[in-house]
Amino acid sequence: MSADALPEHDALAAELALGLLEGEERAAALRRVLAEPEFARAVSDWRDRLAPLFDLVPDMAPSADLWARIDAALDGRAASPQRTGFWKGAAAAALAAAAALAGVLVLRPAPPPQIVTQPAPPRLAAPLMPEGASGTMMASYDPGHAMLRIRAETMPDDGRMPELWVIPEGGEPHSLGMIRQAGTTEMAMPAELKAWLVDGATLAVTLEPATGSPTGKPTGPMIASGTLTTV
Amino acid sequence: MTATDASDDARARLTAALVRAGEGDRSALRQVYQATHAKLFGIILRICGERQAAEDVLQDVYLTIWRRAGAFDPGRASPITWMATIARNRAIDRVRSSAIRRTEPEDAALAVADESPLAPELITQAQAATRLHGCLDTLEERQQAAIRTAFFDGLTYAELAERQAVPLGTVKSWIRRGMMKLKECLGDVR
């Protein structure tokens, strides 16, 4: 059997597995992973097919002290200066971008930055990059108080409401609740959701019916997403 | 002991260490680190192109592995593929979330051999590797190059088109045709 092309869903699965997609195309494909188990399997099959390519990447040696840095981070001791500096820089850049956006829109005075370093436990933050018409959103999580804050500036207004999800790496999306279309939403996280809010988890916002997704899984378009990182 | 036995043995030890790490055994995580960090760092450095950023990602990857090891399913994936996929995805996220303009790797050490594969070591069953490389060789040169570059460098279609100096639609058609042929050649993975 020889077709002219892969079925569209399989071609898309291959493109997502390779990381070729960006912007709205990527958002749409990710949404299908969440909503369609068959599509999710197609993506994972492509990853398996390509996995032997990892053999071709030559081994490289990181700094000799890297294990010590990891070991220290596991203890919750201060992370290395380099790492802290990098993520702080990334968060600051994201905040600056969000603040610049707020300035352009002149909707309200930009709230003071919420990303501050505290002794322990470290806070997490995620700039949620827009997919399409919405603006950048900034999420921050304070594990000490189990408080999640998310600030939105502009959002498509089509009668649906934004719902926030956390997607653990390689896992299923869990709803964190509905958020406001503009301004800051503060959400106290119950114990069962706290476990998901860790460094590396993905946050995503989809548009859902006002009462929330009827299925418990995202059903509407994803409008923003980002990765939680320690700041 | 044959090479295949040695590789099976190494994989079994790595799987066991990962499972123990998932149960909270930190010495097991260290064992996982020792067995895999050079491979994962190679993958990440290739995508990030810069040591400092790559080390940040590598550290992050092992913290992720530590947290997620309990969810690793030995029946579903090989341990190194599971970890390599996390490493690749995190490196891609890192590069795309920063404003770094990526250029082609200048460092010869970052270039990936595109001829005969290295010893499959832990990564995959030698058979699967042989089959994939054999199938890749049946593709047109440019299809093969586009797929390899996308995989190793973590590029988007737009970046790939720019680097190859061809229209985006052209690159897309190379990839899609190449992937179709690859799938036909490989047969069912499940």
Side-chain angles (χ1 to χ4, degrees), chain A residues 10 15 19 44 55 169 199, chain B residues 67-68 76 123 157 183:
Chain A
D10 204 21
E15 291 168 342
S44 135
D55 287 339
E169 263 184 277
D199 194 306
Chain B
R67 282 191 308 269
R68 300 277 306 149
R76 172 70 192 82
I123 297 279
Y157 268 138
K183 189 180 177 187

Side-chain angles (χ1 to χ4, degrees), chain A residues 41-85:
Chain A
R41 264 196 301 277
V43 174
S44 135
D45 283 351
W46 274 112
R47 290 213 174 97
D48 290 348
R49 286 188 188 101
L50 296 169
L53 283 176
F54 285 126
D55 287 339
L56 296 180
V57 184
D59 288 7
M60 300 292 280
S63 301
D65 71 344
L66 197 67
W67 170 257
R69 281 155 60 184
I70 293 168
D71 204 34
L74 290 172
D75 280 338
R77 295 202 296 264
S80 73
Q82 296 94 319
R83 180 171 190 279
T84 309

